[in-house]
Amino acid sequence: MPVVLRFFSVLPLWLLHALGAALGWAAFCASARYRQRFCAHAALAGYSFGAVRAAVAHAGRMVAELPRLWLGAPLPCRLEGAACVERAYAAGRGIVYLTPHQGCFELSAQAAARRWSAAHGPITVLYRPARQAWLARLMATARNRPGMLAVPTTLVGVRQMLLALRRGEAVGLLPDQVPPAGQGHWAPFFGRDAYTMTLAVRLARQTGAAIVLARCERLAWGRGFVTHFEPLAAPLASPLEAAVLQINQAMEQLIRQCPGQYLWGYARYKPPRAEAASPAEPGA
């Protein structure tokens, strides 16, 4: 499998995206469960299938571009809204980047690392190790790109994120990812309660780090990407529950800026899985 991935890592982006679009539609047509979840989640947000049908192909493009992201040459990515990142770094208390499952979300951290890691240190991101040994080794290596440090979703990994923020560095999270039981709070997301991580709020509160919202938009015909940065609209609310809802609302706002590239088929409303390990939450 690594040989196959390396082959795809050298293909031009337009070809990967063409293959990925076909893959996305094949998966959509083959799985009734996926189709139902995709349409139901889009409808919750007020979108008809026709309004977000582009997201079917974009889900496949996300998969097809992974070999380039992990093993290939850096992908072209323009940055918009970089001034808010500069201000956050200047404050010296670190940055918590929050990115939804939208567009090429892994590239948002890579692009920020290329721009700022030399001056401000690496971006630390959480990842869940794969069950297959070969894939776990590949992901551990591939996600440690220049200017990035990938840490596992364990208490040790969270402590590394806290240390990074206290050094004035940045960390990256997907706050619309369902956390394990005991590591989240039920809060509305597009009008339906979803189990939502509290980690982003706890990290920001314990370190005083700035929260920066980021979304990486995929351009047409393999022309690259553009990552948009913006600050959280208001300071985090004081009660934890209110702050978690605030994060969900910020993710909704990002998704509505480009709904055709959100992963509507992601099982956002599933119950949290049980986890025997220590909870990956600081101050829990």
Side-chain angles (χ1 to χ4, degrees), residues 143-262:
R143 284 183 165 155
N144 282 299
R145 304 283 282 183
M148 293 187 63
L149 175 63
V151 298
T153 53
T154 62
L155 190 56
V156 172
V158 174
R159 284 173 176 161
Q160 288 181 262
M161 298 187 99
L162 280 168
L163 290 173
L165 290 172
R166 287 169 178 158
R167 291 192 298 266
E169 297 171 3
V171 303
L173 294 168
L174 295 167
D176 59 341
Q177 188 165 23
V178 180
Q183 301 178 30
H185 172 74
W186 290 96
F189 185 70
F190 288 121
R192 177 180 171 185
D193 276 356
Y195 197 65
T196 305
M197 69 166 62
T198 57
L199 178 58
V201 175
R202 294 181 188 275
L203 287 173
R205 282 182 172 173
Q206 288 197 28
T207 63
I211 291 181
V212 173
L213 312 178
R215 65 176 182 89
C216 186
E217 184 178 353
R218 194 176 288 111
L219 301 178
W221 305 108
R223 292 184 292 114
F225 304 83
V226 54
T227 295
H228 304 266
F229 300 101
E230 59 184 271
L232 194 65
L236 282 175
S238 179
L240 178 63
E241 294 80 3
V244 169
L245 174 60
Q246 187 178 352
I247 296 297
N248 273 359
Q249 291 171 339
M251 293 302 100
E252 290 177 13
Q253 181 235 342
L254 287 187
I255 292 163
R256 291 194 185 280
Q257 291 176 19
C258 191
Q261 294 194 21
Y262 183 62

Side-chain angles (χ1 to χ4, degrees), residues 22-165:
L23 176 65
W25 277 103
F28 187 83
C29 293
S31 174
R33 183 180 181 184
Y34 173 54
R35 288 197 305 274
Q36 187 277 332
R37 189 166 60 207
F38 181 106
C39 295
H41 290 180
L44 273 174
Y47 295 109
S48 66
F49 174 70
V52 295
R53 63 179 296 155
V56 174
H58 277 290
R61 292 183 181 113
M62 180 204 69
V63 175
E65 67 201 10
L66 283 177
R68 277 290 305 269
L69 275 171
W70 290 355
L71 302 170
L75 291 167
C77 185
R78 188 173 78 251
L79 305 185
E80 297 285 348
C84 76
V85 179
E86 298 283 0
R87 289 193 297 270
Y89 272 125
R93 293 191 297 273
I95 297 174
V96 178
Y97 287 110
L98 299 183
T99 304
H101 285 81
Q102 182 180 33
C104 188
F105 51 86
E106 284 205 33
L107 182 57
S108 60
Q110 285 191 17
R114 291 203 301 260
R115 172 73 175 268
W116 289 291
S117 65
H120 301 286
I123 297 177
T124 303
V125 296
L126 282 178
Y127 81 100
R128 181 169 296 279
R131 293 177 181 175
Q132 300 91 340
W134 70 267
L135 185 56
R137 289 192 298 270
L138 174 64
M139 290 174 64
T141 302
R143 284 183 165 155
N144 282 299
R145 304 283 282 183
M148 293 187 63
L149 175 63
V151 298
T153 53
T154 62
L155 190 56
V156 172
V158 174
R159 284 173 176 161
Q160 288 181 262
M161 298 187 99
L162 280 168
L163 290 173
L165 290 172

